[in-house]
Amino acid sequence: MRLINIFIAVSVLLFSACSDSNPESSSNFELKGKLSNAHGDTLFLEQMGTDGLVGVDTAILDENGEFTMNPNINEIGFYRLKTSDKNFCTFIFDTNQNVSITGNAVDLGNSYTVEGSDDSKLFWEINTASAESYRKRDSLQKIFQAFVNLTQMDSLRIDSMSNELEKPYTQLVNEHNEYLKNFIEKHSSSFASLAAIQQLQPDEFMDTYFKLDDGLFSKYPYSKYIKAFHEGVSSSRKLVPGTMAPEISMNTTEEKPLALSALKGKVVLIDFWASWCGPCRAENPNVVKAYNKYKSKGFDIYSVSLDKDMDKWKQAIKADGLTWKNHVCDFKFWQSPVVKLYNFNSIPTNVLIDGEGKILAKNLRGEALEAKLAEVLK
């Protein structure tokens, strides 16, 4: 479970951002507890805030393993209680709460219970369900790896076994996704659902993102966490199928400006990539294959690079056989305005648009890209 705690902690830090707190909030918060296996340990309470982990309060466990804290908590947010960076548990605390916890001082993440904070209890529920799902998936992966290591399998037998294990693995993923979706819809105004939504792919569960955003933003309009989440979801609302793709204009390899709108009339794949991105280079053969198959039917590609070096960018274009002419880059790396404009945080990523510039689909890979092109370019 500690791994899930860490995952969610990182996710929270990623979408945190600076903003004003509710000016009407005040703090009358108390946290107390009793931990077994305590030996005068010092407990640290930290907020998972806008600039990382911020210390809030400390307490020393007495001879009975008991402690009390009265931190200044002025708004709802994510907090972690730790004895060290490897031994902690995560909570959602709000103003004017009286919270009590129990647990094992040497294994906080796996042993704690909490009372007085409904959101923290819901967070624990998500944590437990996620840890169990990931444990089962990990077991399947270990079974596969053990057979490969212990037996002299040929490639056909390895592929066959991989296909057999893929079915239960996919089922576990789908079951957990359904659990998360139902949880969020049931608790669409709970902070705990922020931890659940981080595990769902936006493109597949965008409606769930919208429902959570509507529920949280109406309840917590001053929260820095919710404002940041709302901003990201608002950007995604502008990129749903049927909406117009935002305009892009950058320089080509010949240092001449080329706008996305110049390709109007064609079905265009806006492909975000970079020469330094291994997964992008691995996906390029699929993009090339799709281009060669459908270019005569009105398909084109507008490749937007996040490169920093002109020569490396040009070399990768040549090496990977990216023969279309529409290659652009502003050499601003992740600071390029297109990153925020198209709301992505990893590459490769892509957006398929029709001849009018309306979005048809996003993040199509390999056979999925060809299948969609076959559908729209009949």
Side-chain angles (χ1 to χ4, degrees), residues 28 36 160 170 195 278:
N28 186 24
S36 62
S160 176
T170 301

Side-chain angles (χ1 to χ4, degrees), residues 38 61-66:
L61 295 170
D62 65 18
E63 64 274 11
N64 296 317
E66 297 180 351

Side-chain angles (χ1 to χ4, degrees), residues 235-254:
S235 296
S236 295
R237 287 181 191 267
K238 300 175 184 177
L239 295 171
V240 297
T243 59
M244 293 295 295
E247 176 70 293
I248 303 172
S249 183
M250 293 183 185
N251 283 351
T252 66
T253 54
E254 297 176 350

Side-chain angles (χ1 to χ4, degrees), residues 64-346:
N64 296 317
E66 297 180 351
F67 74 95
T68 299
M69 290 182 178
N70 296 103
N72 185 31
I73 292 179
N74 293 314
E75 65 170 335
I76 188 170
F78 289 84
Y79 295 81
R80 76 173 191 173
L81 187 69
K82 72 174 188 178
T83 60
S84 71
D85 288 339
K86 294 183 179 180
N87 182 36
F88 66 89
C89 46
T90 307
F91 302 98
I92 301 168
F93 291 151
D94 202 352
T95 60
N96 303 319
Q97 289 182 329
N98 293 305
V99 181
S100 62
I101 69 167
T102 61
N104 185 335
V106 299
D107 190 17
L108 289 173
N110 291 310
S111 66
Y112 78 93
T113 64
V114 58
E115 297 293 337
S117 170
D118 290 340
D119 279 316
S120 290
K121 295 180 79 169
L122 290 173
F123 181 88
W124 182 91
E125 180 185 323
I126 297 168
N127 220 6
T128 303
S130 298
E132 179 63 15
S133 178
Y134 293 148
R135 184 192 63 78
K136 290 178 180 179
R137 293 183 227 174
D138 187 57
S139 295
L140 286 175
Q141 291 176 327
K142 287 180 178 178
I143 289 171
F144 174 73
Q145 193 60 51
F147 271 95
V148 171
N149 292 340
L150 294 175
T151 61
Q152 297 296 318
M153 284 188 175
D154 55 40
S155 60
L156 289 177
R157 291 177 63 198
I158 290 175
D159 289 343
S160 176
M161 184 176 181
S162 177
N163 290 335
E164 286 301 312
L165 289 177
E166 184 177 357
K167 297 175 184 177
Y169 187 92
T170 301
Q171 182 177 348
L172 287 172
V173 172
N174 291 338
E175 288 175 353
H176 190 55
N177 285 346
E178 187 66 19
Y179 160 78
L180 293 169
K181 179 176 179 290
N182 291 335
F183 180 97
I184 293 166
E185 292 182 354
K186 183 178 179 180
H187 304 287
S188 61
S189 61
S190 170
F191 248 65
S193 291
L194 284 175
I197 200 73
Q198 296 294 316
Q199 302 176 60
L200 293 178
Q201 292 295 325
D203 291 341
E204 186 177 353
F205 294 95
M206 189 52 67
D207 285 345
T208 305
Y209 274 77
F210 292 161
K211 290 178 182 177
L212 181 58
D213 178 49
D214 291 339
L216 287 174
F217 193 67
S218 62
K219 186 175 181 180
Y220 301 106
Y222 296 103
S223 167
K224 58 177 174 261
Y225 303 97
I226 305 309
K227 282 185 176 180
F229 180 70
H230 176 69
E231 181 180 341
V233 174
S234 295
S235 296
S236 295
R237 287 181 191 267
K238 300 175 184 177
L239 295 171
V240 297
T243 59
M244 293 295 295
E247 176 70 293
I248 303 172
S249 183
M250 293 183 185
N251 283 351
T252 66
T253 54
E254 297 176 350
E255 301 186 53
K256 296 180 180 180
L258 176 65
L260 173 62
S261 56
L263 279 66
K264 188 174 182 179
K266 295 183 176 181
V267 172
V268 177
L269 184 72
I270 310 170
D271 188 34
F272 300 97
W273 75 296
S275 66
W276 47 260
C277 169
C280 301
R281 305 294 295 273
E283 181 63 21
N284 275 346
N286 294 324
V287 180
V288 170
K289 181 182 177 184
Y291 176 71
N292 290 334
K293 186 173 182 179
Y294 290 100
K295 63 181 179 180
S296 62
K297 297 184 178 182
F299 174 59
D300 212 337
I301 300 175
Y302 186 82
S303 291
V304 183
S305 172
L306 298 189
D307 267 284
K308 297 183 290 184
D309 183 280
M310 171 75 83
D311 290 337
K312 291 181 179 179
W313 175 40
K314 288 183 176 180
Q315 290 169 8
I317 292 171
K318 183 177 180 180
D320 291 2
L322 312 183
T323 57
W324 49 93
K325 298 179 180 180
N326 316 306
H327 291 277
V328 298
C329 184
D330 60 9
F331 302 102
K332 295 181 180 179
F333 195 46
W334 285 106
Q335 284 68 50
S336 173
V338 297
V339 174
K340 185 174 183 180
L341 187 64
Y342 277 80
N343 194 37
F344 61 90
N345 56 22
S346 64

Side-chain angles (χ1 to χ4, degrees), residues 36-59:
S36 62
N37 290 321
H39 304 285
D41 306 81
T42 299
L43 290 176
F44 302 88
L45 182 65
E46 300 173 323
Q47 183 178 15
M48 299 157 71
T50 59
D51 298 316
L53 294 167
V54 179
V56 176
D57 204 354
T58 61

